[in-house]
Amino acid sequence: IWDTAGQEQYHALGHAFYRGADCCCLVFDLTKKESFEHLNKWRTGFIDNTGCDPDSFPFVVMGNKADMVDQRAVSKEEAEAWCT
C-alpha cells in the first residue's frame, strides 16, 4: 500500500508507485470540499501512469473524517454521484 497523501512531490513517482497495483483506493476528506474535487485528478493520474482500463479496473473511494458531522463539506449524495 502506497500512501502519497495527495502530496505533489510524489506525483512524478506515480508510475513506480502504481506498477502492479490490483486496485486503487482514493481517499478524500469529508470536511474539505477541495480534497473531494481532486478525486478526478488523482484517478486520471493513476490511469495515465498505469495504462489500466478505467472501465474494468477496481477503484475504491473513501471519505475520511466521517465522525466530524458538524464540519462535513461533502454530502453522501455528492460522493455517491461522483462514484456513479
Side-chain angles (χ1 to χ4, degrees), residues 21-22 24 43 46-59:
D22 293 318
C24 178
R43 182 177 182 272
F46 182 87
I47 293 166
D48 290 348
N49 278 288
T50 62
C52 70
D53 178 1
D55 294 326
S56 63
F57 193 87
F59 284 89

Side-chain angles (χ1 to χ4, degrees), residues 4-23:
T4 63
Q7 297 177 18
E8 292 296 326
Q9 65 191 18
Y10 298 115
H11 186 70
L13 301 173
H15 184 71
F17 279 150
Y18 307 148
R19 186 181 315 126
D22 293 318
C23 75

Side-chain angles (χ1 to χ4, degrees), residues 35-84:
S35 73
F36 176 70
E37 292 168 348
H38 285 270
L39 286 177
N40 282 325
K41 177 180 87 167
W42 287 105
R43 182 177 182 272
T44 300
F46 182 87
I47 293 166
D48 290 348
N49 278 288
T50 62
C52 70
D53 178 1
D55 294 326
S56 63
F57 193 87
F59 284 89
V60 177
V61 179
M62 291 187 275
N64 65 359
K65 300 186 183 176
D67 58 320
M68 302 177 77
V69 179
D70 58 327
Q71 296 177 23
R72 191 171 186 142
V74 180
S75 71
K76 179 180 176 183
E77 293 77 20
E78 285 177 290
E80 288 177 345
W82 189 90
C83 291
T84 301

Side-chain angles (χ1 to χ4, degrees), residues 22-40:
D22 293 318
C23 75
C24 178
C25 180
L26 301 169
V27 182
F28 68 97
D29 183 339
L30 287 164
T31 68
K32 294 185 177 160
K33 186 81 163 190
E34 183 180 5
S35 73
F36 176 70
E37 292 168 348
H38 285 270
L39 286 177
N40 282 325

